[in-house]
Amino acid sequence: GENVEQHPSTLSVQEGDSAVIKCTYSDSASNYFPWYKQELGKRPQLIIDIRSNVGEKKDQRIAVTLNKTAKHFSLHITETQPEDSAVYFCAAGDSGYSTLTFGKGTMLLVSP
Amino acid sequence: EPEVTQTPSHQVTQMGQEVILRCVPISNHLYFYWYRQILGQKVEFLVSFYNNEISEKSEIFDDQFSVERPDGSNFTLKIRSTKLEDSAMYFCASSEARGGTEAFFGQGTRLTVV
C-alpha cells in the first residue's frame, strides 16, 4: 500500500518568513496530492491540491510542487501570518480508488 | 455552503459498550468515508462506502466496525465492544467522485472510551 512520509513534524517561523513542508510517497500509481490544514480542535480542510499531470500549482501565498520522478511533493507558504498556525497534512491518492493516505502532519507555528 | 455534519460532537462510553457515530454527508456526494485520528497523530483511513456497499477498508477496520447508510441522508459507523484504544476523533467525509477530488470532512466526533 501507499506510504506517505512528511517532514518536519514541527516548524516555527517568524511572521513574514516562508515555510516549506515536504512529503514523499511510495506508490507510483498515486496521482492526486491534496494538502489539508487542521486548526486546533477543528476538521481538516483542503487548502490546495495537485494532480500528477501538473508540476506546480499556486494559489495566492500557497504553492505546491510535485516531482513525480523523485516521488515527492512540497507545500510552500510565503509571507506567513499568525493565522497560518495549524497542523498541515499532506496526502496521496489514486484517482481510481477512494483511499487517501495521509502523512503524519506538520505543526506550523508562526510567531508575530 | 454545504457541509458534512456529525453527531454527537463528543461521546463517552464504557469499555465493552457499542457506539454509533452518525454523519450526514453533503447531499449530492456519492462517496462516503470514515477516518480516525488518535490525539496528536495523523489522520488514518478506515473505510469508504459507495452504492450501499464498502468499496475499500483498511486493516484497522476489522470485525469490530461496521458502516451503514440506513436512509438517504445518514451514514453511520458502529463500533462494537469498544476498547480503550478506540478513543480518538472520528471524522466522516464525503466526495463527489471516487478519487482525485476533494474530500470534505465533518467536524468530527470525539470518542472517549473509559
Side-chain angles (χ1 to χ4, degrees):
Chain A
E2 175 65 275
N3 181 48
V4 177
E5 298 287 339
Q6 182 172 349
H7 301 279
S9 57
T10 60
L11 179 59
S12 295
V13 299
Q14 290 288 114
E15 184 177 1
D17 288 349
S18 295
V20 180
I21 303 171
K22 298 182 179 182
C23 288
T24 61
Y25 62 99
S26 61
D27 189 348
S28 56
S30 290
N31 54 17
Y32 176 62
F33 307 94
W35 285 88
Y36 283 82
K37 176 183 180 182
Q38 186 179 27
E39 296 176 358
L40 188 62
K42 297 190 176 180
R43 74 189 79 189
Q45 291 195 295
L46 182 76
I47 54 171
I48 195 167
D49 57 15
I50 192 167
R51 289 170 175 77
S52 59
N53 57 347
V54 174
E56 183 174 352
K57 183 176 178 179
K58 190 172 181 181
D59 182 4
Q60 300 182 340
R61 297 186 297 108
I62 295 173
V64 58
T65 58
L66 171 65
N67 183 326
K68 286 172 54 181
T69 303
K71 295 198 189 72
H72 66 70
F73 56 112
S74 301
L75 177 71
H76 304 252
I77 306 175
T78 58
E79 300 171 30
T80 53
Q81 301 166 3
E83 50 266 38
D84 294 330
S85 296
V87 179
Y88 292 80
F89 291 96
C90 64
D94 177 345
S95 58
Y97 299 90
S98 55
T99 307
L100 277 179
T101 302
F102 284 80
K104 291 186 177 180
T106 296
M107 178 174 289
L108 175 64
L109 298 171
V110 182
S111 304
Chain B
E1 184 178 336
E3 60 180 25
V4 176
T5 57
Q6 290 183 242
T7 54
S9 56
H10 191 189
Q11 173 90 46
V12 181
T13 189
Q14 289 207 325
M15 192 168 54
Q17 295 295 304
E18 174 182 286
V19 294
I20 297 177
L21 310 184
R22 303 179 192 280
C23 170
V24 178
I26 294 173
S27 61
N28 64 329
H29 286 184
L30 301 177
Y31 292 87
F32 316 118
Y33 315 88
W34 283 101
Y35 287 85
R36 179 181 80 176
Q37 185 178 33
I38 296 172
L39 186 64
Q41 299 186 24
K42 67 176 176 178
V43 177
E44 298 176 294
F45 171 76
L46 293 178
V47 66
S48 62
F49 192 86
Y50 169 72
N51 199 26
N52 285 320
E53 61 181 16
I54 291 173
S55 55
E56 293 167 78
K57 60 181 181 179
S58 73
E59 61 273 14
I60 301 171
F61 193 88
D62 59 22
D63 292 342
Q64 181 194 9
F65 296 89
S66 62
V67 290
E68 193 177 34
R69 189 155 163 82
D71 53 43
S73 60
N74 290 286
F75 178 50
T76 62
L77 174 69
K78 182 188 291 185
I79 309 175
R80 288 182 282 275
S81 189
T82 49
K83 305 188 286 280
L84 295 177
E85 51 265 38
D86 294 328
S87 295
M89 181 74 88
Y90 288 82
F91 289 104
C92 172
S94 68
S95 64
E96 289 182 347
R98 188 173 195 177
T101 60
E102 180 176 359
F104 290 81
F105 282 77
Q107 79 278 23
T109 293
R110 179 165 296 286
L111 176 65
T112 302
V113 182
V114 297

